[in-house]
Amino acid sequence: MKPVDELTDASPALASVGRVRKRERISDRVYDELASAIRDMRILPGSALSETDLAERLQVSRTPLREAIARLVETGLVSVVPQVGTRVEPIRLHDVEQARFVRESLEASAAEAVCARPERDVRRLRALLAEQERCFQIHDLDGFFAADEALHEQVFALAGYVGAWQLMQPTKMHLDRIRRLSLPDEATVRALIDEHAAIVDALEAGDPLAARAHVKRHASRASTEAPALMARYPDYFAD
């Protein structure tokens, strides 16, 4: 990810949606592309979204684009104001806190469920930890975030509740924007890796109390860091 300070134009952040697979709706692909760009801070809070520009860059017609924008409005990531236009919503700490509560509650329960399983294969988790370390060493923040997400999804998969992970994604995107803002700080990335390792150790040991405690501590990080990020990037936040 580019340093946040350099991300000033939404246009270069988007890629053409291209052809879709059979039984896949174009509007779903458009939604995924726009949502990920907003979540990853490739499109910044407060950015104006032009239908004409988006349709051209995504190579889609206005109908699936409008369907995707309507879904983004439902998640609270985008607002459409008559006579004003469409904009990416600023980060609101209330939304971040709601998302943190949902994620922490579900993931702590998932971690306990993993510990209750007689057989717990954490090899995939160990591989993702190694990938995070590799990305940290070469300063690949996009790769790190992807491995971070994959690790947490794998916790739900091991618990047998990957559907819960998918269900919370729209809400979690409010939290994810805070997470992305914090990544340029090397000390934060190092701490994240250490916290992930503690979670994996607890899962491998089958210790539900430690697993729950480490997940809760890890999930609270975004809320703890929010005030400092708000002071550093005031234009990205709203009360």
Side-chain angles (χ1 to χ4, degrees), residues 2 5 26 65 72 84 87 104 106 112-113 121 144 149 151 163 174 182 201 203 206-207 230 233:
K2 291 181 180 179
D5 310 78
I26 295 176
L65 176 60
L72 290 169
V84 176
R87 289 189 174 275
E104 179 183 309
L106 290 177
E112 288 185 330
D121 187 351
F144 174 83
E149 285 287 280
L151 183 141
H174 295 286
S182 69
D201 287 346
L203 294 179
D207 186 338
M230 191 173 184
Y233 306 109

Side-chain angles (χ1 to χ4, degrees), residues 3 61-62 134 144 158 175 177 182 194 203 219 221:
S61 66
R62 296 291 184 92
R134 186 190 72 83
F144 174 83
L158 288 175
L175 181 65
R177 292 201 286 177
S182 69
D194 292 342
L203 294 179
R221 171 177 286 277

Side-chain angles (χ1 to χ4, degrees), residues 124-153:
R124 172 66 175 157
L125 293 174
R126 293 291 182 196
L128 288 166
L129 280 174
E131 175 63 9
Q132 289 173 31
E133 186 67 47
R134 186 190 72 83
C135 290
F136 174 63
Q137 295 300 327
I138 64 175
H139 308 290
D140 178 4
L141 297 183
D142 287 332
F144 174 83
F145 189 79
D148 183 328
E149 285 287 280
L151 183 141
H152 290 290
E153 182 177 8

Side-chain angles (χ1 to χ4, degrees), residues 214-231:
H214 287 307
V215 166
K216 289 174 71 69
R217 181 167 66 93
H218 180 65
S220 69
R221 171 177 286 277
S223 296
T224 302
E225 294 177 343
L229 292 171
M230 191 173 184

Side-chain angles (χ1 to χ4, degrees), residues 20-21 43 54 160 175 190 203 212 227 238:
V20 299
R21 295 186 296 272
I43 299 181
L54 290 175
L175 181 65
R190 177 75 269 162
L203 294 179
R212 180 181 258 307

Side-chain angles (χ1 to χ4, degrees), residues 8 17 29-30 40 43 49 51 74 85 88 99 106 138 159 177 179 181 186 197 204 211 216 232 235-236:
T8 57
V17 167
R29 287 285 298 277
V30 174
D40 297 345
I43 299 181
L49 300 178
E51 279 193 12
E74 291 178 359
V88 176
L106 290 177
I138 64 175
R177 292 201 286 177
R179 293 169 61 207
L181 274 178
E186 290 191 359
E204 186 172 36
K216 289 174 71 69
R232 183 177 179 186
D235 293 342
Y236 299 164

